[in-house]
Amino acid sequence: MNWTTVRLALRELRANKMRTFLTCLGMIIGVGSVIALMTIGTGVTAQITQTLESLGNNLIFAFPGGPDANGRGENQPFDQADVEAIRRGVPGVIDITPAAQAGTQATYGGYKADTQVEGGEASYFRIGLWRVAEGRLFGETEIGRSVCVLGKTVRDKLFAGGEAVGKRIRLGKVPCDVIGVLEAKGSSMFTGDQDDIIVMPLKAFQRRIQGSTALFNIQISAATRGDIERVMEGTRQALRSSRGIGAEEKDNFTVRDLQGFVQQAQSVFGIITLFVAAVAAISLIVGGIGIMNIMLVSVTERTREIGIRLAIGAQERDVLMQFLTEAMILSLLGGLIGIAVGLLLAFLGTGLMGAPFLPSPVVILGATLFSAAFGITFGFFPARRAAKLNPIEALRYE
């Protein structure tokens, strides 16, 4: 391919601007859709990982209810004996906290906030990587006191930016003294607003709000990432023993680590992304067929021109290269515009979802090369047909 061939191809494409644009449209839609979906998928995957990792270091959750459990004890909640079984019998655990939760309405003066109240021990904050922004956190000696620590969202709703520490709020009908406000963790489309929370000492929560000793989950922090699998298996065995589960019976609880949640979320979103991208790729094929059709029309319209070129000494390969160049430029032009459109859509989409905008140079380069390859593939048949024209018959064509 030389510059003269490219210049002639550009001249022909400029002569039919509207047809050129409509021919490129299929490639624009196809490439743009794939770029947008892949970029949004990358951003959302990164958001999932960042959000879940912000929940805690080497964190493991135990929930009542097994994924396949049926029959006796399927909905049996945890109790303090289960917590002590893990605390005493599982090596590699550096922190553990039982947790319970309930939805309630918090009020202060004329302000109200429907929120979630969680009961936990002092280790709840260490495991969840919570830091205090105002006031202080409750300690081990305050496990039965009616004190609470507010998330930033609740604080803003109840106090409208004013001082919260030292004030007394009501959780339903239960009075509670605010001793601190947590640093904001933010929100995402997957975990919701992490700051829409109030944390109370566990025993006070169970006695005054929940009315029972049932635990919603047990949160465990392993010493190192390498200890997670061993701690998970140790937790499983300790809970089976504590809950009296026989050798032939299924677990009536679930033990998961954060990486498991990350992989599950990534797997689900990855499948969705690939499916939608496969559907979008169909428009690439449609766009390629559109290029082939238009090039065939162009060959028919320029039959006499081709005959003249062949008659005055042009080689078949020159004509072949001329039409291949036009097809490749059409496809490449559509691909480049599609990349720009796709990145714009991805930027807007990730912005709306609060996910990071992480365009992949590999995907962009691949889309560019793919567009050029499509032009050569779908332009070859029209180009070969033009090159094989008989000069005499072409000159006679009306």
Side-chain angles (χ1 to χ4, degrees), residues 137-155:
L137 305 175
F138 56 77
E140 301 291 351
T141 60
E142 298 175 289
I143 196 66
R145 288 189 57 197
S146 186
V147 295
C148 57
V149 180
L150 308 183
K152 184 179 183 300
T153 298
V154 179
R155 174 205 186 275

Side-chain angles (χ1 to χ4, degrees), residues 4-302:
T4 301
T5 303
V6 174
R7 184 166 54 82
L8 290 172
L10 291 173
R11 184 190 67 184
E12 291 296 332
L13 296 177
R14 283 198 302 268
N16 297 280
K17 296 184 178 63
M18 181 57 70
R19 189 168 72 180
T20 299
F21 172 74
L22 293 176
T23 305
C24 293
L25 195 57
M27 297 300 296
I28 293 172
I29 294 172
V31 172
S33 299
V34 172
I35 291 289
L37 287 168
M38 298 302 291
T39 305
I40 291 173
T42 301
V44 170
T45 299
Q47 183 189 38
I48 293 170
T49 303
Q50 293 169 3
T51 300
L52 292 179
E53 287 183 350
S54 73
L55 297 177
N57 278 332
N58 306 324
L59 191 56
I60 298 167
F61 290 95
F63 299 98
D68 303 313
N70 290 298
R72 181 180 69 83
E74 182 178 357
N75 297 314
Q76 178 186 345
F78 291 138
D79 57 25
Q80 196 62 33
D82 296 321
V83 179
E84 294 304 320
I86 299 171
R87 183 175 279 138
R88 293 193 307 267
V90 182
V93 174
I94 59 171
D95 238 333
I96 183 172
T97 182
Q101 66 179 33
T104 190
Q105 185 177 77
T107 58
Y108 177 78
Y111 296 98
K112 298 179 181 179
D114 292 319
T115 187
Q116 178 174 281
V117 181
E118 294 215 8
E121 297 179 350
S123 53
Y124 176 93
F125 302 107
R126 296 193 300 269
I127 289 177
L129 301 180
W130 288 103
R131 294 179 175 82
V132 65
E134 302 173 28
R136 64 181 180 85
L137 305 175
F138 56 77
E140 301 291 351
T141 60
E142 298 175 289
I143 196 66
R145 288 189 57 197
S146 186
V147 295
C148 57
V149 180
L150 308 183
K152 184 179 183 300
T153 298
V154 179
R155 174 205 186 275
D156 291 344
K157 287 180 179 179
L158 294 182
F159 297 96
E163 182 65 33
V165 177
K167 303 294 175 39
R168 174 167 291 187
I169 64 174
R170 299 188 75 83
L171 304 177
K173 297 182 180 180
V174 177
C176 186
D177 295 324
V178 179
I179 62 171
V181 177
L182 298 170
E183 282 188 2
K185 279 194 176 184
S187 61
S188 77
M189 62 182 293
F190 301 98
T191 60
D193 188 354
Q194 297 182 80
D195 304 315
D196 191 3
I197 189 176
I198 298 175
V199 186
M200 288 183 67
L202 179 61
K203 289 184 178 178
F205 173 85
Q206 290 175 326
R207 184 177 66 250
R208 309 200 66 179
I209 294 180
Q210 182 171 269
S212 73
T213 59
L215 300 175
F216 174 73
N217 64 44
I218 302 172
Q219 301 173 23
I220 306 151
S221 182
T224 65
R225 189 173 293 275
D227 290 327
I228 290 177
E229 289 295 330
R230 182 163 54 88
V231 170
M232 287 178 66
E233 182 57 27
T235 298
R236 180 173 173 270
Q237 295 302 328
L239 289 174
R240 285 183 65 86
S241 175
S242 173
R243 294 159 77 82
I245 300 174
E248 302 300 322
E249 294 181 288
K250 296 180 179 180
D251 294 344
N252 57 19
F253 57 87
T254 303
V255 179
R256 298 287 299 275
D257 67 323
L258 282 181
Q259 191 60 36
F261 288 109
V262 171
Q263 291 173 350
Q264 184 179 31
Q266 289 176 345
S267 176
V268 171
F269 195 82
I271 292 171
I272 295 173
T273 301
L274 288 176
F275 174 76
V276 178
V279 174
I282 294 174
S283 64
L284 287 175
I285 299 175
V286 174
I289 294 172
I291 289 174
M292 184 169 63
N293 288 338
I294 292 300
M295 293 307 299
L296 286 172
V297 171
S298 181
V299 169
T300 301
E301 290 179 343
R302 296 157 61 188

